[in-house]
Structure formats: structure tokens, C-alpha cells
Amino acid sequence: MAKGIGRNRVRATVIVPWWNHPELIGDFAEAVGSERADEVLIMDNASEPEVAHSLDELLGRRCGMTVVHRNTNSQLQALTEGVRLARNETIVFLNNDVVRRAVGWLSMLVKSIEPGVFCGAQLREVEGVKYLDGWCWGFRREDFERIGGYDLTFEEPAYWADVEISARAQAHGITLKQIDLPLHHLESVSSRPLQRSERFWQVFERNRQRLMERLHGGLGVDVVEQA
């Protein structure tokens, strides 16, 4: 896992929200460290000190990624902050629970991203809405900002927020496109322990209701900006 990314860099910023789970670092470093991304922002959402140190050492110092330490655990706010920090116009949101099947997945994704097109690894449909699953998708910054970014009123864990932003993007004329990538998502690694709590499902349902309100309200750009 060399620190340098070489001359043939993929001109994109990869933004990754991270909270604890040090066991994911090895596979993640293999999946992303070999992709020659121009910039990788690890948005550390108040991980435990030993995990934060591992992120600095294993992803920062060894892999040349930028670790941004935050004081709160909010995925949507971390992604929003990452967009503001990014130095590239093409941006990819990526979960930390991924495993590489083959080298080159990032360049495949980035080559497909163009103005007016959001691309991702998985296109799904729920509540009559086609959406890009939030674990891996990319866009041009101007399109993300034009539609208002994420609706930050969704509670964490922010289930349904990716459905809402996809619906809003389509309402503003943006096309959603699935790209078959050699990348595997482990799914729900961070949230699985939380799913045993009653609060998780209360938040899940409130977020679903928020989505339905947005769908019935016309999906304008009146979303809440980050403080």
C-alpha cells in the first residue's frame, strides 16, 4: 500500500464517513489504496481514540489519505463537510465496509460520471422511487449543490436519505445510472448492532415519514444547510 498515487491519478475525491470498526481498515485500504484516487477524505465521526489513531497511521500515513477528525457522529454532515473540503469537481461517496474484487473500479465509476448524471454501484427501487444506494455513488459537485445536497433533517442512522436525494435529483432532471463495479459491499456492518434497539426502528420510521413528506411536498431544494 504505497503512499504515492503516481502520475496517472483518478481525478476525483473519495469521501468516506467512518465511525469505529477498526476491523474494516485492512480490506478498505486494499479496495481504495490501489485506485490512485487524487484525494481520499476519511471523515472520522468521533471514533474511539485508538481507532482514530489507527486511521491516522494505517490510512493517513501509510496510504496517503487525509483523515479529518470530527467531534460528532453524523454521516450526512460528514459527507456534506467532505464536499466542501474536496479539491475535485468529481466526487464519490463510499462506505468503509467494502471489499475489492478487482483493481480499477474507481476509474470505471468516475469515467461514467458527467454533468446531469449520478452514477452508483447499485440502483434500487422503494416506495415507487428509483434510487442509488448510498454505499457507493458519485456525481459532479455542481449537480450536488444545485439540488441542495442531503436533507440534514434526517436522523442518524440516516436511512431513507439516499432515497430522498435520488428522488430530488430526478425531479431536477438528473439521470441515475448503475455501473457494474468489481466492488463488494458487506452491508449494515455499522448499523447491525444498533438494529437490536427500539430507538433504531423509531428513527427508521421517522425518516421514512420524512421521505414521504418530501415526496408529497414536491421535492424542492428547501433542505437544511449544515450549521
Side-chain angles (χ1 to χ4, degrees), residues 98-115:
V98 292
V99 177
R100 183 189 72 190
R101 298 301 191 198
V103 176
W105 67 266
L106 181 60
S107 60
M108 292 172 59
L109 178 59
V110 169
K111 287 176 181 177
S112 300
I113 298 169
E114 56 184 311

Side-chain angles (χ1 to χ4, degrees), residues 60-124:
R61 192 180 70 83
R62 296 190 186 181
C63 294
M65 303 177 189
T66 299
V67 181
V68 179
H69 296 290
R70 308 180 66 255
N71 295 325
T72 58
N73 183 13
S74 170
Q75 179 174 346
L76 296 189
Q77 289 186 6
L79 293 171
T80 301
E81 181 182 344
V83 172
R84 294 176 178 174
L85 294 174
R87 65 181 178 222
N88 293 289
E89 290 304 308
T90 299
I91 295 171
V92 172
F93 287 160
L94 183 69
N95 277 22
N96 58 0
D97 52 348
V98 292
V99 177
R100 183 189 72 190
R101 298 301 191 198
V103 176
W105 67 266
L106 181 60
S107 60
M108 292 172 59
L109 178 59
V110 169
K111 287 176 181 177
S112 300
I113 298 169
E114 56 184 311
V117 180
F118 287 177
C119 297
Q122 196 164 26
L123 184 64
R124 295 182 171 183

Side-chain angles (χ1 to χ4, degrees), residues 25 34 44 47-49 64 73 79 91-92 104 112 116 129 133 140 144-145 170 194 198-199 201 208:
I25 293 176
S34 59
D44 172 31
S47 295
E48 296 295 329
N73 183 13
L79 293 171
I91 295 171
V92 172
S112 300
V129 178
D133 198 302
R140 299 284 292 175
F144 184 80
E145 293 177 344
Q170 292 172 92
L194 302 176
E198 181 179 356
R199 181 188 177 280
W201 295 109
R208 192 187 72 82

